[in-house]
Amino acid sequence: MLTGKQKRFLRSEAHHLNPIFQVGKGGVNENMIQQIADVLEVRELIKVSILQNCEEDRDSVAAALSKGAKAELVQVIGNTIVLYKESKENKQLKLPR
């Protein structure tokens, strides 16, 4: 689990990022979760946007993505989800203690 300090750090790091995935009418599926897990291994920190036509509510989408990709849910703000997962191969972010 992330501490409050680590989440604040990750939120500031994610601020300038653009969402690279969009959850739409189809909702969350296995293929999307796999792609997000792969991208997290490379980037560690990503944003996912939830489109207006998504039938699931944002909290259940956030929970499904973080659980499926085994990632930490940093933040849900508006229709944007911020996910973090420490990379095994490409460590870039150094979290505060």
Side-chain angles (χ1 to χ4, degrees):
M1 287 298 294
L2 296 170
T3 65
K5 189 175 184 181
Q6 290 169 330
K7 283 188 177 180
R8 276 196 301 279
F9 169 76
L10 290 170
R11 281 200 297 263
S12 69
E13 289 290 308
H15 180 73
H16 66 281
L17 296 176
N18 291 319
I20 48 178
F21 286 100
Q22 295 180 325
V23 181
K25 193 171 169 73
V28 177
N29 58 43
E30 287 301 313
N31 186 23
M32 177 186 289
I33 288 173
Q34 186 55 54
Q35 288 179 343
I36 287 175
D38 295 343
V39 170
L40 279 166
E41 176 56 38
V42 175
R43 298 196 180 189
E44 291 189 310
L45 189 66
I46 64 166
K47 279 185 178 174
V48 179
S49 69
I50 302 171
L51 301 178
Q52 293 291 325
N53 65 355
C54 183
E55 290 158 2
E56 301 172 49
D57 71 286
R58 62 188 195 167
D59 294 323
S60 61
V61 170
L65 291 179
S66 62
K67 185 174 178 222
K70 296 180 178 57
E72 293 283 349
L73 178 60
V74 177
Q75 183 179 35
V76 179
I77 183 162
N79 286 332
T80 305
I81 300 167
V82 179
L83 294 172
Y84 168 77
K85 184 176 182 185
E86 188 175 339
S87 173
K88 293 176 183 68
E89 310 286 315
N90 310 304
K91 236 178 129 22
Q92 297 160 348
L93 296 171
K94 183 152 174 32
L95 293 179
R97 296 265 151 148

